[in-house]
Amino acid sequence: MSLYGMMRTGVSGMNAQANRLSTVADNIANSSTTGYKRASTEFSSLVLPSTAGSYNSGGVTTTVVNSISKQGALQYTTSVTDLAIDGNGFFVVEDASGTSFLTRAGAFVADKDGYLVNTAGYRLQGWDLSMGPRPSAPVSPGQLDAIRIDDTQVNWSPSANGKFAANLPSDAAAVPAANLPSANGASSAPVSYTAKSSLVAYDNLGGQVILDVYLTKSAAGEWEVAVYNQANATNGGFPYSSGPLATETLEFDGTGKLLGTSPTDITLTVPGGGPLTIDMSGMTQADGAYNVSKAVIDGSPPSKIERIEIDKDGTVYAQYANGSMKALFSIPMASVASPDKLTVISGNVFGQSADSGGIDIGWPSEGKNGKIVAGALENSNVDIAEELTAMIESQRNYTANSKVFQTGADLMDVLVNLKR
C-alpha cells in the first residue's frame, strides 16, 4: 500500500466532510429563509486498481443535492400579497433584464412602481387579463408580463344589465289609455300611475343616472312599464321634458305569473351611456300591496383601488373604493420533470438545467399543479435537529480522517529515519 496514497485518502475524506459541513452551515443559516430548500451532501467512493498483493486506497467524492421537491410548512401572514403554493409547482419571476426564473419564495410586496417583487427583487409574472381570458396551457414566458398594481388608476363601469322584480297589486284600478305615463309623459295633461320606483345607473363616464320606473295597470292582467330619465323631470315628476326612454307591456295569467308570450325584460339606452337591459322575469301580480323584492343595476362610479385579493386559482382581483371588483392578472404555475435537478441561484430562485427537464407553464390547480394560498408563506424545509446531528457526525468523521493523514505522516517519518 502506498503511504502517499493513504495520506491522499485522508485528505479526500477531510474535504468530503468539509463539503458536508458547508451544506449544514448553509441550511442552518437559511433555516428561517422563506422558500429555502435544504441542501445535503451525498458521498460516492473512488476505487483505484489493486493487485493481489497490494491495495491502493482511493478516496471519496461528494455531490450536493437540493431537496427542492420537498415542501416546507405553510405559515399564515397578514399580507394578501404573501403567496404560498400548496402542492407542486413554482412561481414564474423575472430579473431586471427580463430573464425568467422559478421560485417558491412568495413574499411579494409592491415596489415604488407597483410591481410585485420578492425580497431578492425578482418580479412576479402573470397573464394580463386586459388582453383577454388566460390561454390554455402550455404558456410560454414570452406571453407573461410582470404583475403591476397601479393604485393611482381610476376605474369605472357603465351599466349594461339590471334586474327588477316586484309584486303588483291585482286589485289596482286600471288607468285609461289617455292618462298612461307613456301617453302624456312630456305634456301637462293629467297622468296616472299605480306605482313608482327609482333605479341608479351609470353612463360611459361613470356618471350617475337616476331612472324613474312607472308601473301602471292598463287593463285586467296588463301592466305598462315606462322608464324616464329623472334629470328631465319637473319638481321630481311629471311633466318630463322628453318622453320615456323605453316602455313595455307585461301580461299576467290567472295565477299571477307572466304569460309565456309576455316580454320578460325592458331595453333602453342610458343617457350618455350604452344599452341597458333590465330583467323583469321575476314580476308577479297578486293580492296585496306593491312590494319590490329586487332592484339592482350593474355599473360603478369612478374610484381607486382600495385592496387586492388573490384567489386560489391565481386570479388577482382589485377591489375598488366603490365596492366593485375587477380581475387584473392570472398567476401561472410552472413545473419540471425533476425539480431536485434544477440549478440553484442566489435569491431563492431556480433555473433550468440539462437534468431537470423542460419547464412547463400552466395554471394553479390544473394537472399536477398545486393551488395558491394567499396570505401565507412557505417556510424553509430545514430541520435544525437533523442539521445539528449531521454537524456532529461530520466533525467526528473529519477528526478520524485527520488521524489517518497523521498516521501516514508518522509512518513516513519512520521510513525516512531508517537511513539514520
Side-chain angles (χ1 to χ4, degrees):
M1 179 180 99
S2 169
L3 292 179
Y4 284 120
M6 172 185 174
M7 295 170 66
R8 291 192 181 97
T9 299
V11 171
S12 173
M14 287 188 287
N15 285 334
Q17 295 303 325
N19 287 341
R20 187 185 186 189
L21 284 169
S22 295
T23 58
V24 169
D26 242 356
N27 293 337
I28 294 176
N30 287 279
S31 60
S32 298
T33 301
T34 299
Y36 176 80
K37 299 302 180 180
R38 177 180 180 268
S40 59
T41 304
E42 301 295 334
F43 297 89
S44 299
S45 61
L46 296 175
V47 180
L48 296 176
S50 302
T51 62
S54 176
Y55 179 80
N56 293 322
S57 62
V60 62
T61 185
T62 58
T63 303
V64 176
V65 177
N66 295 93
S67 301
I68 300 174
S69 59
K70 181 181 178 182
Q71 179 167 334
L74 301 187
Q75 178 179 345
Y76 286 93
T77 70
T78 57
S79 174
V80 295
T81 56
D82 282 343
L83 304 177
I85 298 175
D86 185 10
N88 299 322
F90 300 87
F91 297 113
V92 183
V93 294
E94 66 175 14
D95 61 11
S97 65
T99 304
S100 295
F101 298 95
L102 309 182
T103 187
R104 298 274 297 194
F108 296 104
V109 295
D111 65 8
K112 63 182 181 64
D113 298 315
Y115 292 102
L116 292 184
V117 299
N118 63 13
T119 52
Y122 290 92
R123 293 176 176 178
L124 178 63
Q125 291 188 282
W127 171 263
D128 189 347
L129 292 173
S130 66
M131 305 297 292
R134 68 187 190 186
S136 300
V139 181
S140 68
Q143 294 177 273
L144 304 177
D145 297 302
I147 295 179
R148 182 170 183 261
I149 309 299
D150 185 3
D151 58 4
T152 64
Q153 181 182 10
V154 176
N155 181 72
W156 66 89
S157 176
S159 298
N161 297 283
K163 189 172 182 64
F164 185 78
N167 179 64
L168 305 175
S170 59
D171 58 353
V175 174
N179 301 113
L180 291 173
S182 60
N184 297 290
S187 71
S188 58
V191 177
S192 298
Y193 58 88
T194 307
K196 173 191 174 183
S197 291
S198 295
L199 304 177
V200 178
Y202 296 93
D203 61 22
N204 289 337
L205 299 179
Q208 190 178 91
V209 179
I210 299 179
L211 304 176
D212 289 337
V213 181
Y214 292 90
L215 301 109
T216 310
K217 188 174 184 179
S218 55
E222 290 187 0
W223 288 75
E224 181 193 83
V225 181
V227 182
Y228 283 84
N229 181 7
Q230 191 182 91
N232 297 331
T234 302
N235 296 324
F238 291 100
Y240 287 79
S241 61
S242 61
L245 299 174
T247 60
E248 196 61 81
T249 301
L250 305 179
E251 298 179 291
F252 296 89
D253 60 20
T255 66
K257 307 296 183 183
L258 285 172
L259 286 172
T261 56
S262 174
T264 57
D265 54 47
I266 185 169
T267 302
L268 56 100
T269 299
V270 177
L276 170 64
T277 300
I278 302 176
D279 179 10
M280 305 187 75
S281 60
M283 300 292 290
T284 59
Q285 178 189 254
D287 187 25
Y290 173 68
N291 181 39
V292 178
S293 58
K294 196 173 190 67
V296 294
I297 294 179
D298 63 5
S300 60
S303 63
K304 293 183 179 180
I305 295 176
E306 191 171 68
R307 65 191 302 268
I308 295 296
E309 289 188 7
I310 301 177
D311 203 356
K312 63 182 180 181
D313 68 351
T315 304
V316 180
Y317 293 95
Q319 181 175 348
Y320 293 85
N322 57 25
S324 63
M325 300 282 289
K326 181 180 180 182
L328 302 179
F329 288 90
S330 188
I331 301 173
M333 194 167 290
S335 61
V336 294
S338 181
D340 292 340
K341 295 295 184 179
L342 288 168
T343 300
V344 180
I345 303 171
S346 296
N348 278 351
V349 296
F350 310 103
Q352 181 181 346
S353 71
D355 297 324
S356 67
I359 298 175
D360 295 321
I361 301 178
W363 306 106
S365 302
E366 291 185 1
K368 295 182 179 180
N369 292 334
K371 64 181 181 180
I372 290 179
V373 182
L377 293 174
E378 180 181 356
N379 291 332
S380 164
N381 61 3
V382 172
D383 184 339
I384 292 293
E386 184 177 347
E387 299 305 319
L388 293 176
T389 302
M391 180 187 296
I392 295 171
E393 289 179 355
S394 295
Q395 180 184 7
R396 295 289 186 256
N397 292 339
Y398 189 97
T399 301
N401 280 282
S402 69
K403 294 298 183 182
V404 171
F405 180 87
Q406 185 177 356
T407 300
D410 291 342
L411 291 176
M412 287 296 297
D413 285 342
V414 172
L415 184 61
V416 171
N417 290 333
L418 287 178
K419 185 179 178 182
R420 296 179 184 176

